[in-house]
Amino acid sequence: MNSTDNTNPQSGSAPLPLGGDGGRLSCLIIGSGPAGYTAAIYAGRANLSPVLYTGMQMGGQLTQTTIVENFPGYPEGVDANQMMGELQQQAARFGADIRFGVITKVDLSKRPYTVTTDDGTELEADTIIIATGASAKYLGLDDEKKYNGQGVSACATCDGFFYRKKVVAVVGGGDTACEEATYLAGLCQKVYMIVRKPFLRASDIMKKRVEENPKIEILYEHNTIGLYGENGVEGAHLVKRKGEADEECYDLPIDGFFLAIGHKPNTDVFAEWLQLDETGYIKTVGDSPCVLDKEGNILPGVFAAGDCADPHYRQAIVAAGSGCKAALEAERYLQTL
């Protein structure tokens, strides 16, 4: 899509940002993953003079993995940090003002909207694109950090390809864990499901799917207490029936360790103003990036993109597409001011 021609008629070349007045921002983007950077690229090309605050994790949670092989345009795969760096450079090329910092407070009660950064700076913005992402839940083991990107992953769709014909374990007993285990069973030689409880919490259809899959073995009443390996994960230290009289500790040789115990959307700062689902994901209106206030009304000029509003897919390409939609909607909204 071509950006709106917003050329200054007096100079013949200098672009004028849509919306905004003096120190007021036309477009504020919160978050720097695929959704945030894509929104910045589109907003920059539309002469919105976007300002993007990266959050604490520049590049988003994708930077915690190693090679990305399922993002279009990289036939040989690409280092995740390289890809996010290139998205950042592309956004900057189109005029995005990228700032390292965290938004700690927002006021969406009136327009222009007000936000406060972690250094106390207050900003006003006519449009806000929320792209704060979601963080995978971990068990809290030191070894998870030690082997992050070296056998530990929170995304089977992202990293399962690297474990073809190998042995892996999936932690969790809900629908997500069953989906991950089923996906990995299509690639791997063997998949263990490490389940803390004596049953699966998943829906009946998902239970049936994993129970009938010959490549999946469910280890009920098991807890992971550590991982081991020289140059990456080679196995997990497990406890069966922890705390019981027949407690048993043993090591399980595996090549990959996948967490599937849920994600937490990074949306706490917006909870006072926006409708969130029971897990904390921002509710949007149908297929649009428009958000709802607490009364169920569309909040003009505020949009959500990426994993903070996506409890289903959580893929970089989907996040990027939603960032594009949010920027296009921000541009259309600013044209009405």
Side-chain angles (χ1 to χ4, degrees):
M1 174 177 177
N2 292 327
S3 298
T4 301
D5 184 359
N6 198 38
T7 300
N8 184 336
Q10 294 182 348
S11 69
S13 61
L16 292 172
L18 293 170
D21 180 18
R24 200 164 87 200
L25 305 178
S26 295
C27 180
L28 172 66
I29 300 168
I30 306 174
S32 61
Y37 281 144
T38 302
I41 290 167
Y42 274 78
R45 293 186 72 248
N47 293 330
L48 305 191
S49 300
V51 171
L52 181 149
Y53 273 83
T54 64
M56 287 301 295
Q57 191 173 8
M58 183 179 288
Q61 65 173 328
L62 195 66
T63 58
Q64 292 185 338
T65 189
T66 50
I67 303 297
V68 177
E69 294 205 325
N70 56 1
F71 198 92
Y74 296 98
E76 302 300 323
V78 60
D79 178 83
N81 284 276
Q82 176 191 336
M83 187 179 87
M84 297 314 301
E86 290 171 350
L87 283 175
Q88 179 186 352
Q89 292 169 26
Q90 191 173 0
R93 177 190 166 210
F94 290 115
D97 180 354
I98 298 170
R99 305 175 183 177
F100 183 79
V102 178
I103 302 301
T104 57
K105 183 179 178 183
V106 300
D107 183 350
L108 304 180
S109 62
K110 61 184 184 303
R111 292 172 284 170
Y113 303 114
T114 305
V115 304
T116 305
T117 69
D118 51 354
D119 65 1
T121 301
E122 285 195 358
L123 302 166
E124 291 185 335
D126 287 312
T127 63
I128 296 177
I129 296 174
I130 303 167
T132 48
S135 301
K137 293 179 181 179
Y138 288 81
L139 298 174
L141 304 174
D142 289 339
D143 287 338
E144 289 172 316
K145 297 178 182 177
K146 177 180 177 181
Y147 295 108
N148 189 29
Q150 300 180 64
V152 171
S153 172
C155 180
T157 310
C158 306
D159 300 326
F161 182 80
F162 301 109
Y163 298 91
R164 288 173 300 171
K165 299 182 180 179
K166 294 186 177 182
V167 178
V168 300
V170 175
V171 179
D175 278 343
T176 299
C178 291
E179 289 172 4
E180 302 273 90
T182 302
Y183 174 81
L184 289 167
L187 298 169
C188 302
Q189 173 189 334
K190 173 87 174 180
V191 179
Y192 292 100
M193 288 186 69
I194 302 173
V195 182
R196 182 169 52 89
K197 296 181 180 294
F199 56 86
L200 293 174
R201 295 180 291 103
S203 59
D204 288 342
I205 189 169
M206 293 306 299
K207 288 180 189 175
K208 189 169 187 277
R209 194 169 294 171
V210 298
E211 288 171 349
E212 294 180 353
N213 192 313
K215 286 189 176 181
I216 299 174
E217 181 177 344
I218 305 171
L219 305 177
Y220 290 111
E221 296 186 89
H222 278 68
N223 286 272
T224 306
I225 57 174
L227 302 168
Y228 63 89
E230 291 297 323
N231 298 308
V233 170
E234 295 176 5
H237 302 301
L238 302 182
V239 177
K240 181 179 180 181
R241 293 181 54 79
K242 186 176 181 181
E244 300 298 327
D246 57 349
E247 175 182 294
E248 177 187 354
C249 298
Y250 67 96
D251 290 344
L252 178 70
I254 54 174
D255 302 296
F257 185 77
F258 289 84
L259 282 302
I261 54 177
H263 286 73
K264 184 184 185 306
N266 304 317
T267 57
D268 289 350
V269 71
F270 307 104
E272 180 182 353
W273 308 102
L274 304 182
Q275 283 199 5
L276 310 178
D277 72 7
E278 62 279 2
T279 311
Y281 288 94
I282 297 173
K283 291 184 178 181
T284 55
V285 182
D287 292 331
S288 84
C290 299
V291 304
L292 300 170
D293 64 18
K294 286 294 189 179
E295 285 69 48
N297 303 309
I298 291 177
L299 198 57
V302 181
F303 310 97
D307 286 10
C308 67
D310 178 14
H312 303 295
Y313 299 106
R314 295 191 298 272
Q315 295 297 302
I317 188 62
V318 178
S322 67
C324 163
K325 291 199 296 185
L328 294 177
E329 291 296 335
E331 178 186 7
R332 290 168 185 161
Y333 171 74
L334 287 167
Q335 289 173 340
T336 68
L337 298 182

